[in-house]
């Protein structure tokens, strides 16, 4: 081995280059790790400068709520908020966890709890916002009593909103769930009775409003009903909201104590936020349980 090495001096150069490359990779990795650990610094303010925060939202009212109510109220705290629209309920949390956005407002508390547990994400709520509840809509029927035997009912297929939809159907006496089931985890297999023999069809939440042309009834979460211009007054029934289905403003756990985290938490509990909502198009939304 020693003789071969001296006969091929280029081999020494190659070994040296490999060692140098490995050292460089280690250095880059260390830098990357340091950037990740200090990522929350980007959510702090610098005197005389404005810190821009990207908030992930889905189609619906919460992007408007950020733009028209929350952003103006945080301006004096040194923050400029802009929204990024996502087309499903999965990517806003994954984007937040990866650091490509700094916050999101699109989900209720039950969904956040289940999604973070299922995906091992360290995300947390800073507080609740007014929430447009899930509604039962139909182009065919005018009331719950009108729903016929064997009608096709579309509900969201993601775990949290599926359970929520079944709960709303139970509120209206259309189905009964098994007594021992966790209401936040119920599936169609947990239906104990279905007196009208409803055909439950699970589809992507973003398609529910559009499905009204092909199904008899659809249970549409508030953000998607808002985007589709479905009026709560036209719903056959609206969800009776509890604490778990109120929307939450979410950041990574490591950012809770950042300047931004503290400012948002304070704002959501403030009278000025309540007053601004009362003067806005969101005034009739369901209110946080702490209000």
């Amino acid at each position: 081995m020693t003789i071969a090495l001296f006969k091929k001096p280029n081999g020494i150069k190659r070994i040296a280059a490999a060692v140098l490359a490995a050292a460089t990779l280690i250095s880059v990795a260390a830098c990357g790790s340091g950037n990740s650990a200090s990522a929350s610094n980007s959510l702090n303010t610098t005197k005389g400068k404005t810190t821009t925060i990207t908030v992930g939202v889905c189609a619906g009212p919460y992007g408007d709520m950020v733009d028209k109510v929350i952003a103006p109220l945080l301006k004096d705290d040194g923050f400029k908020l802009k929204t990024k629209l996502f087309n499903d309920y999965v990517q806003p949390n994954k984007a937040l966890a990866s650091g490509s956005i700094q916050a999101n407002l699109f989900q209720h508390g039950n969904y956040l709890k289940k999604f973070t547990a299922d995906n091992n994400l360290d995300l947390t709520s800073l507080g609740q916002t007014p929430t447009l509840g899930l509604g039962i809509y139909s182009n065919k029927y005018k009331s719950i009593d009108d729903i016929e035997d064997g009608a096709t009912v579309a509900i969201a297929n993601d775990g949290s909103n599926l359970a929520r939809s079944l709960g709303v159907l139970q509120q209206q006496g259309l189905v009964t769930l098994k007594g021992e089931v966790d209401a936040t985890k119920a599936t169609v297999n947990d239906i104990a009775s279905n007196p009208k023999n409803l055909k439950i069809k699970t589809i992507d939440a973003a398609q529910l409003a559009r499905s009204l042309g092909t199904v008899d009834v659809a249970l549409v979460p508030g953000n998607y009903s808002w985007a589709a211009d479905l009026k709560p007054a036209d719903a056959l029934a609206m969800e009776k909201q509890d604490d778990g289905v109120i929307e939450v403003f979410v950041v990574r756990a490591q950012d809770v104590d950042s300047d931004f985290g503290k400012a948002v938490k304070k704002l959501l509990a403030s009278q000025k936020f309540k007053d601004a909502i009362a003067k806005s198009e969101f005034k009739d939304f369901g209110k946080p349980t702490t209000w």
Side-chain angles (χ1 to χ4, degrees):
M1 293 294 292
T2 304
I3 295 173
L5 185 60
F6 279 100
K7 282 188 175 181
K8 296 182 180 180
N10 287 341
I12 297 175
K13 293 180 180 179
R14 286 197 296 271
I15 293 172
V19 172
L20 179 60
T24 301
L25 285 172
I26 292 171
S27 175
V28 170
C31 289
S33 175
N35 287 340
S36 176
S38 62
S40 61
N41 290 338
S42 64
L43 275 71
N44 290 325
T45 55
T46 302
K47 188 174 182 179
K49 294 184 179 181
T50 298
T51 300
T52 299
I53 301 292
T54 301
V55 183
V57 298
C58 288
Y62 304 106
D64 292 338
M65 188 180 291
V66 171
D67 292 335
K68 297 178 181 180
V69 179
I70 298 175
L73 294 176
L74 287 174
K75 186 176 180 181
D76 290 342
D77 291 305
F79 296 103
K80 176 183 179 182
L81 272 58
K82 63 178 183 179
T83 56
K84 181 174 181 179
L85 181 65
F86 292 88
N87 294 319
D88 62 40
Y89 281 169
V90 175
Q91 295 308 313
N93 278 335
K94 290 191 173 181
L96 177 56
S98 72
S100 61
I101 60 175
Q102 290 77 52
N104 67 45
L105 177 59
F106 78 98
Q107 64 196 316
H108 54 67
N110 285 344
Y111 183 86
L112 173 66
K113 182 179 180 180
K114 187 175 190 308
F115 191 93
T116 52
D118 290 348
N119 294 275
N120 194 30
L121 301 181
D122 199 12
L123 308 179
T124 191
S125 164
L126 292 175
Q128 299 174 324
T129 69
T131 304
L132 179 57
L134 183 150
I136 303 178
Y137 294 91
S138 175
N139 290 342
K140 183 175 181 179
Y141 305 121
K142 298 298 183 183
S143 73
I144 293 293
D145 291 338
D146 289 342
I147 297 176
E148 298 170 323
D149 190 270
T152 299
V153 178
I155 63 176
N157 61 8
D158 64 273
S160 180
N161 282 303
L162 189 155
R164 178 185 181 189
S165 299
L166 292 173
V168 174
L169 290 176
Q170 180 166 248
Q171 288 174 3
Q172 296 302 318
L174 293 171
V175 302
T176 301
L177 299 178
K178 297 174 183 176
E180 73 278 6
V181 69
D182 182 339
T184 66
K185 299 178 181 179
T187 71
V188 291
N189 294 325
D190 295 311
I191 295 175
S193 66
N194 181 1
K196 290 194 174 186
N197 302 302
L198 302 177
K199 298 173 183 176
I200 308 296
K201 181 178 182 180
T202 59
I203 64 176
D204 186 86
Q207 304 302 318
L208 285 165
R210 190 178 303 172
S211 77
L212 284 168
T214 57
V215 301
D216 299 314
V217 178
L219 278 70
V220 188
N223 54 347
Y224 289 118
S225 64
W226 180 275
D229 202 29
L230 295 174
K231 308 297 185 186
D234 295 330
L236 306 187
M238 292 297 294
E239 172 182 30
K240 298 171 184 176
Q241 294 171 304
D242 60 26
D243 185 69
V245 297
I246 299 296
E247 296 288 307
V248 287
F249 197 103
V250 178
V251 296
R252 292 181 296 173
Q254 71 188 70
D255 294 327
V256 169
D257 291 325
S258 66
D259 292 342
F260 178 70
K262 291 176 181 177
V264 172
K265 193 169 185 176
K266 180 180 178 181
L267 173 65
L268 296 181
S270 71
Q271 187 61 46
K272 68 177 181 180
F273 181 56
K274 296 176 186 178
D275 292 343
I277 289 293
K279 297 175 183 177
S280 74
E281 60 197 301
F282 317 111
K283 62 182 182 298
D284 295 324
F285 284 23
K287 301 303 189 293
T289 54
T290 55
W291 284 29

